[in-house]
Structure formats: structure tokens, C-alpha cells
Amino acid sequence: MGEARHTRVLIIGSGPAGYTAGVYASRAMLDPILVQGIEPGGQLTTTTEVENWPGDTEVQGPDLMVRMEAHTKAMGCEVIGDIMTDLDLSKRPFTATGDSGTTYTADAVILATGARAKWLGLPSEEAFKGFGVSACATCDGFFYRGQEIVVIGGGNTAVEEALFLTNFASKVTLIHRRDELRAEKILQDRLMKNPKIEPLWFHTLDEVVGTDMPKDVEAVRVRHVDTGEVTEIPAKGVFIAIGHAPANELVKDQLETYMGGYVKVIPGTTETSVPGVFAAGDITDPVYRQAVTSAGMGCMAALDAERWLAEQE
Ligand code: FAD
Ligand code: NAP
């Protein structure tokens, strides 16, 4: 039988939204518990330089998240390394079960589970995941020193990954389905100026080609979106950078969602369709998806929870 813990505010997630909620809920004397999940620190731990966190001209993503964790703890938030496997929002107190076997009950819940990398869903992508196919350049770029690499996507993540990978690769081909990037102009500028990067417009990935023994990627087959012509490009590494989907597994059948699974909140608040449950950060935001907006929503969620709890008394 696992441990049983009760808290006034349970914060699920340890990205900028969760840690900021932890700071504010602690300062409101709500003695919150924050459960970190499988990725302590969240998405920013998978990147290098962050240049748009106010107050830091440049900061490494993992360092920023270590500082946020320390800040949250210093304010009195209990930070627990556990993963929620179940969350029951049908009755109060709300009940969550951790992978550790601990059962958490809470008067209010702040959901800050963020987002996870999307995959294309190709059988060959699945077959070579971890053997040449990756969604994290920071984690895996080092393995491709002197090799040719392809990156799929046209947003900030794809461009940043491509730029970062030039530290290792001999050549990076950025494959995008249009001829226009979504990435910020400053990143586009750096991409175009980098001699190691070659964009390939109007193409999608058809197949990752490789060997079985040893399991290694050798090339990618790409298809022109208009002509359908298939070309093979040599590559030892394939980085999929086509965006992120909300991590809503715990709540998708219990809370109202919109735009493909983002948790719906009352505009201008973090209140979800279940009173006492608040959502902050990328889990509820299909538009901005930034560290600073997530942190802002974490603050709002803690203040909303504080007010809601006071009204219940
Ligand atoms: P996330 O950071 O996604 O964190 C979610 C947290 O929830 C994680 O800790 C996870 O472990 C936890 N969790 C999930 N499921 C469970 C569960 N079942 N139980 C317990 N915990 C759970 N934004 C910028 O502003 N500037 C940048 O330079 C920038 N660079 C980026 C680079 C990359 C490669 C990526 C992927 C994103 C980048 N972003 C950047 C976007 C930014 O990282 C996100 O907007 C931000 O991290 C979202 O914060 P969040 O707190 O909502 O969630
Ligand atoms: P994104 O902005 O949603 O971009 C995803 C890219 O992948 C788009 O170019 C899209 O093409 C392409 N794509 C999607 N599905 C595809 C498919 N099935 N096949 C081929 N291509 C596909 O995602 P992101 O780049 O991960 O960024 C997510 C959020 O994090 C954004 O808000 C971003 O600003 C933020 N972020 C910020 C920074 C920063 O501030 N430096 C860094 C990284 C991320 P189309 O363009 O044709 O739709």
C-alpha cells in the first residue's frame, strides 16, 4: 500500500507554468505539492540558448529550469519526483495516483503538463526511433559529428535544431513542406546565412531508409508536394521538429478541450470546465506557447486557485 498525501493545491508539471504556480501558491501560504513528471523542468531542458526570457539576454534552457526549481523550493513548495498515472476529477477532494504508488488528494489542482513532441507517424520513423531518428537535437546531436543530417519542419524548433546541429554535422538539410518558414525572422536570418544548412522546400518525408544489423539510418526518401517526385538524400540522422501536442492524457475525458486537445479555460482566467481545476501553460495554449506566457499563466492559476479556495471556506 503506497503513501497517502493531502494538499490544498496539487500542481502537476514542472515547466515554467508549474514552477511559477509553485512560487505563487507557496507565497499564498497554500503549502502546495508539485509533481515533476517524466521531464523535470519541461521542454526548455531540451534546448540550449534561450534569448527571450526577460532579464536574461541569453540563458541555457536547462540552467533556467534548475533556477526555477530552486526558486519554487525556496518559497516553500514541496517538489516531488513522481509521474501522475491517474487523476480523478469527478469528486472532491480530487485524487491523483503517482507512479510511485503514492495517492495524492487535493482541494484544488493546477494542471501544467505542457506539450510533447509530435511525430509524423511513419512506420520507418517508428522503426528507427533512437537509432538515427530523434526529436531532440540537444539530446542526440553529439552522435552525428561529421555526418549529414536532415531536419523536418519549418517552425522555431526546426530552425533552432538545424542551427544547433551545425555544431556537429557536416551538412544539415532542412526539409519543409512549404517555401515559407513559421520561425521568427531573426532565426530565419541565421539559417539562411549558415553555409552548412541547405533548405529543401516543398518536400515531405516519405521514408527513413537504413540497415537492420546494425540498426542505422542511411538516407531519407522525400517527396515533392506538387510533382510527387521522390528523391533520396543521404543522412545518418533524422530530426523530426514538426511541433508539439498538448499532454492531456490525464484529463482529456474529464475536462472540455478544444483545437485538438488543448484544455479549455474561461477566457482571461485559468478556470477549466471543472471548478477547482485550473490549467496553465502549453496544455491550454495553442497560440503563444512560450516560456514567459506559460510562467504568466502559472501565476494566474495560483491566484485563481487561491481565490477559489477562499470562496469555498
Ligand atoms: P512544459 O515545459 O511542457 O512542461 C510540462 C511538464 O509537465 C513537464 O515537467 C512534464 O514532466 C510534466 N508532466 C507531463 N505529464 C505529467 C504527468 N502525467 N505527471 C506529472 N507531470 C507531468 N519558449 C520560449 O519562450 N523561448 C525559447 O527559446 C523556447 N525554446 C524552445 C525550444 C524547444 C526545443 C522547445 C521544444 C520549446 C521551446 N520553447 C521556447 C517553448 C517552451 O519550452 C514552452 O512554451 C514551455 O516550456 C511550456 O511550459 P509548460 O510549463 O506549459 O510545460
Ligand atoms: P510549430 O510552430 O507548430 O511549427 C511546426 C512546423 O512543422 C511547421 O512549420 C509545420 O509546417 C511543420 N509541420 C507540422 N506538421 C507537419 C507534418 N505532418 N509534415 C511536415 N511538416 C509538418 O512548432 P514548433 O516549431 O515546435 O514551435 C512550437 C511553439 O514553441 C511555438 O509557439 C514556438 O514559437 C515556440 N518555440 C519558441 C522558440 C523560441 O522562442 N526561440 C523556440 C522553439 C519553440 P507549416 O508551417 O506548413 O504548418
Side-chain angles (χ1 to χ4, degrees):
M1 186 75 181
E3 203 188 343
R5 298 289 312 272
H6 180 76
T7 177
R8 298 202 69 200
V9 180
L10 177 66
I11 302 166
I12 307 178
S14 57
Y19 282 148
T20 308
V23 169
Y24 277 78
S26 301
R27 285 174 50 81
M29 311 299 273
L30 294 172
D31 298 326
I33 286 179
L34 183 153
V35 175
Q36 289 180 304
I38 202 163
E39 189 171 68
Q43 290 171 65
L44 280 189
T45 60
T46 68
T47 190
T48 49
E49 291 91 10
V50 174
E51 297 179 354
N52 48 18
W53 179 256
D56 285 310
T57 311
E58 186 186 309
V59 58
Q60 295 291 311
D63 292 346
L64 178 61
M65 296 321 297
V66 166
R67 276 166 38 199
M68 278 196 211
E69 178 179 351
H71 187 175
T72 302
K73 284 180 173 165
M75 291 298 120
C77 183
E78 187 178 352
V79 175
I80 298 179
D82 201 354
I83 301 165
M84 294 312 193
T85 52
D86 188 59
L87 177 63
D88 182 359
L89 303 176
S90 64
K91 54 185 184 308
R92 289 189 219 145
F94 304 117
T95 308
T97 312
D99 192 43
S100 62
T102 302
T103 302
Y104 303 82
T105 51
D107 300 326
V109 169
I110 295 177
L111 194 68
T113 48
R116 284 203 203 101
K118 277 190 203 162
W119 296 94
L120 291 164
L122 301 170
S124 57
E125 170 194 63
E126 189 58 38
F128 287 103
K129 251 186 215 170
F131 298 92
V133 173
S134 167
C136 177
T138 333
C139 320
D140 299 327
F142 188 72
F143 301 122
Y144 302 98
R145 273 163 297 165
Q147 316 264 27
E148 294 189 21
I149 293 179
V150 299
V151 175
I152 317 291
N156 273 338
T157 301
V159 174
E160 281 194 342
E161 303 261 273
L163 288 165
F164 178 72
L165 287 166
T166 60
N167 292 322
F168 313 100
S170 54
K171 179 180 173 189
V172 178
T173 307
L174 182 89
I175 300 168
H176 184 36
R177 62 185 176 186
R178 299 187 291 138
D179 66 345
E180 204 180 309
L181 297 165
R182 261 175 214 278
E184 285 168 31
K185 294 288 174 266
I186 188 167
L187 292 175
Q188 294 193 27
D189 207 43
R190 283 180 205 163
L191 180 97
M192 297 307 176
K193 283 184 182 148
N194 194 308
K196 278 192 180 177
I197 302 179
E198 190 178 302
L200 180 65
W201 306 121
F202 297 118
H203 278 80
T204 54
L205 181 64
D206 242 19
E207 194 185 344
V208 181
V209 183
T211 51
D212 253 351
M213 301 256 254
K215 215 169 183 183
D216 262 335
V217 171
E218 299 290 340
V220 289
R221 284 201 189 107
V222 293
R223 183 180 293 273
H224 194 284
V225 292
D226 295 328
T227 65
E229 192 188 337
V230 175
T231 318
E232 195 161 297
I233 303 173
K236 294 302 282 180
V238 181
F239 287 80
I240 311 290
I242 59 165
H244 289 75
N248 64 10
E249 296 78 8
L250 290 172
V251 296
K252 62 175 187 289
D253 301 325
Q254 306 183 74
L255 296 178
E256 269 181 50
T257 59
Y258 74 124
M259 297 258 309
Y262 290 88
V263 170
K264 200 168 180 179
V265 291
I266 298 173
T269 78
T270 58
E271 294 169 31
T272 69
S273 52
V274 171
V277 180
F278 305 88
D282 280 12
I283 181 69
T284 176
D285 176 15
V287 180
Y288 303 105
R289 299 176 297 176
Q290 300 294 302
V292 69
T293 48
S294 299
M297 282 185 259
C299 154
M300 288 165 65
L303 297 178
D304 287 346
E306 182 192 2
R307 278 187 210 121
W308 183 81
L309 286 167
E311 282 165 16
Q312 307 306 304
E313 277 160 12

